[in-house]
Amino acid sequence: MCGVKANTNTVGLDNRGKYEDCMSSYTSRVTSLADWAQKHGKSTGIVTNTRLTHGTPSALYGHSASRYWEDDSKMPSHNRAACKDLARQLVEDDPGRNINVLLGGGRRHWIPTTEYDREEKDQTGRRTDGRNLLDAWVHDKKSRDLHAEYVWNKGQFDNVDPAHTDYLLGLFGYSHLDFEVDRNKGPSGDPSLAEMTVKAIQILKKNPHGFFLMVEAGRIDHAHHHNNGRRALEEIGGLEEAILGALDQTSSSDTLMVLTADHSHVFTFGGNNTPRGHPILGMDTEPSDLDKKPYTTLLYGNGPGYAHTTPNGRQDITGFNTQDINFVQQAAVPKKYETHGGEDVPIYAQGPGSHLFSGTVEQSYIAHAIAYAACIGDDNSHCEKPPKDDACAVAPAAPTSWRPVGQASTTHNDHKNGGKNWAWSAGSRAWSWTACHYITLLMLPVILTLR
């Protein structure tokens, strides 16, 4: 998000920022894509199904020596006077207070311990400073005479008119939003990731100078940590719907879309005899040649699935419904939560500047490539009178051999771009649209869009 390497568990800081060292955050702060976009007059937005103060979204607006300082109760008492928690930074500081669309979860970090949550009525807020940041956000927008709305359920969200709304805050969960398969789809429930993405674009694209939107499908990550393969795959389906919705709202002639992820998981896919059409959530048709027990095609290298062992070895899952939504895949090493993986992750890109995303790159390159294509970087001399082959011009169609597995088919996008202008890289996870508009989708995931 900021184009620099950072120390683990810090947010919006360079390598001089030290974990849980409040004062180090003052000498190590860096700006982000949100800052750069706003500086050039673009509208900005964040859509996530995690908390808005969680690790990925907070990197766009926060500067914190700990990603866990989502509210003041998480901060050591001696740091509270010198450093703001992430929720306060989002409401009070730049660029957070100027982000047009904020959709996600995490109300508990916005309200004080003396107030009960509107949805989880037995839960109180976690702020110990007495602040109600929901009221503060609304007051700030009213004081600046801005057309703003705060919503907290799907019914209210559906009634928001993008044509008459310039700032939208939607907090739909006390903590993270529910997994897609568990989501209450009624008026008292939550909008889907796709619905939030579409509404965000409808609001942001009114700006003639373009927009930047980051979309995160962060619940994929959470399902993997529990070795729950079915929910992880269902969340990927939700991300796909968000991508399709974004494609319908934009044009690849003036919008760069980048899709990536910040890491992988120790999630494996294999089998000795799994013929075409075999259920992805099923078992290999042949049992293990050593313990003679069946095993699923999807497995994990570590995690809570190891608990399914017995004194006689691996649990026999004969007769188990491995396609059940709550089925936990078996794991090789016991851990309370599954870990991330270490391999490179892909970047998928479509639209102007998509040719910048090829080969193997460092993850810190992504923000600079988006900025270059969007003409929001420090050096925009290439944007004054861009030649036909400039980064701000539509990139040539990617060769068929570059088309990654799982990419939307050419037929699917015929009405938009004839299946052209897709490029991909095996070096990092990112998906973004760049030109006049930019969208980034992250697979934790995240989607970044810039127009």
Side-chain angles (χ1 to χ4, degrees):
M1 300 299 182
C2 302
V4 301
K5 300 282 187 177
N7 288 317
T8 302
N9 292 327
T10 63
V11 172
L13 310 178
D14 62 24
N15 67 318
R16 295 170 296 176
K18 307 303 179 185
Y19 179 56
E20 294 193 332
D21 182 346
C22 165
M23 300 311 296
S24 73
S25 68
Y26 283 92
T27 57
S28 58
R29 298 187 175 195
V30 291
T31 54
S32 73
L33 280 164
D35 289 286
W36 309 340
Q38 289 180 9
K39 179 181 177 181
H40 287 79
K42 297 183 184 296
S43 295
T44 51
I46 297 174
V47 171
T48 179
N49 52 16
T50 70
R51 299 188 294 269
L52 279 169
T53 48
H54 207 236
T56 294
S58 64
L60 281 169
Y61 62 82
H63 307 281
S64 179
S66 174
R67 59 172 290 183
Y68 303 111
W69 292 354
E70 297 182 61
D71 62 62
D72 66 314
S73 71
K74 293 293 185 180
M75 302 176 67
S77 58
H78 63 276
N79 285 333
R80 294 175 189 172
C83 289
K84 290 184 181 181
D85 59 80
L86 288 164
R88 277 190 67 193
Q89 291 186 46
L90 178 55
V91 174
E92 299 175 358
D93 299 346
D94 294 336
R97 67 191 294 262
N98 294 315
I99 295 176
N100 300 79
V101 178
L102 295 165
L103 301 175
R107 285 191 303 266
R108 69 189 192 187
H109 302 297
W110 294 62
I111 58 177
T113 56
T114 55
E115 294 187 26
Y116 283 91
D117 183 67
R118 291 181 174 181
E119 187 175 29
E120 303 290 336
K121 298 185 183 300
D122 60 338
Q123 299 286 344
T124 62
R126 295 194 174 184
R127 303 198 62 83
T128 61
D129 58 7
R131 287 181 170 87
N132 184 317
L133 296 182
L134 299 176
D135 292 342
W137 185 90
V138 172
H139 176 75
D140 172 69
K141 303 304 177 285
K142 285 184 177 180
S143 68
R144 292 193 277 163
D145 198 26
L146 302 172
H147 297 98
E149 289 197 43
Y150 164 61
V151 297
W152 56 275
N153 62 37
K154 189 177 187 300
Q156 297 167 348
F157 172 84
D158 288 343
N159 287 330
V160 171
D161 182 359
H164 298 95
T165 305
D166 297 324
Y167 287 81
L168 175 62
L169 171 63
L171 287 170
F172 305 107
Y174 177 73
S175 181
H176 302 304
L177 303 191
D178 290 336
F179 288 107
E180 179 61 24
V181 294
D182 306 314
R183 180 172 64 90
N184 175 359
K185 300 175 177 60
S188 63
D190 308 328
S192 68
L193 188 70
E195 290 169 332
M196 292 190 290
T197 299
V198 168
K199 183 88 72 175
I201 294 174
Q202 290 172 340
I203 292 172
L204 298 174
K205 70 180 181 180
K206 295 183 299 180
N207 186 339
H209 299 292
F211 68 85
F212 168 81
L213 172 65
M214 192 285 293
V215 181
E216 178 196 20
R219 296 293 271 159
I220 298 172
D221 174 74
H222 299 166
H224 279 313
H225 283 314
H226 291 282
N227 288 169
N228 188 189
R230 170 71 185 276
R231 275 192 173 83
L233 295 182
E234 294 284 356
E235 289 299 308
I236 292 174
L239 173 64
E240 180 183 32
E241 291 300 316
I243 294 170
L244 297 178
L247 288 171
D248 285 340
Q249 291 293 319
T250 58
S251 168
S252 62
S253 66
D254 66 1
T255 304
L256 169 67
M257 187 179 298
V258 178
L259 172 62
T260 190
D262 60 347
H263 56 73
S264 65
H265 284 267
V266 289
F267 190 45
T268 66
F269 171 38
N272 192 51
N273 190 9
T274 52
R276 186 178 296 277
H278 194 74
I280 187 66
L281 294 164
M283 304 180 196
D284 190 341
T285 56
E286 296 182 6
S288 166
D289 56 352
L290 294 180
D291 66 10
K292 309 304 180 184
K293 297 175 183 177
Y295 64 94
T296 54
T297 59
L298 300 179
L299 295 166
Y300 286 90
N302 58 51
Y306 183 87
H308 298 302
T309 59
T310 69
N312 297 321
R314 189 169 60 91
Q315 183 182 29
D316 188 344
I317 58 174
T318 300
F320 279 58
N321 178 9
T322 60
Q323 300 190 50
D324 185 83
I325 194 65
N326 294 312
F327 181 79
V328 173
Q329 265 69 28
Q330 293 179 324
V333 175
K335 283 189 69 68
K336 183 177 180 180
Y337 299 113
E338 175 260 9
T339 68
H340 299 156
E343 64 267 41
D344 286 347
V345 293
I347 305 173
Y348 303 89
Q350 172 180 288
S354 59
H355 62 283
L356 297 170
F357 300 92
S358 63
T360 299
V361 300
E362 293 288 337
Q363 76 271 43
S364 52
Y365 164 85
I366 297 170
H368 296 290
I370 292 174
Y372 182 89
C375 298
I376 59 174
D378 291 335
D379 180 7
N380 294 321
S381 58
H382 63 289
C383 303
E384 296 173 3
K385 291 182 180 180
K388 293 182 179 180
D389 61 348
D390 186 79
C392 290
V394 177
T400 303
S401 60
W402 289 5
R403 193 171 302 281
V405 174
Q407 177 184 308
S409 68
T410 302
T411 302
H412 173 77
N413 285 319
D414 277 347
H415 69 291
K416 286 290 182 185
N417 54 29
K420 299 179 180 179
N421 305 329
W422 281 92
W424 75 286
S425 167
S428 183
R429 283 188 290 181
W431 178 46
S432 180
W433 311 335
T434 310
C436 193
H437 305 288
Y438 306 86
I439 298 176
T440 302
L441 299 101
L442 299 183
M443 272 198 286
L444 286 196
V446 176
I447 301 172
L448 303 174
T449 300
L450 200 49
R451 193 183 91 178

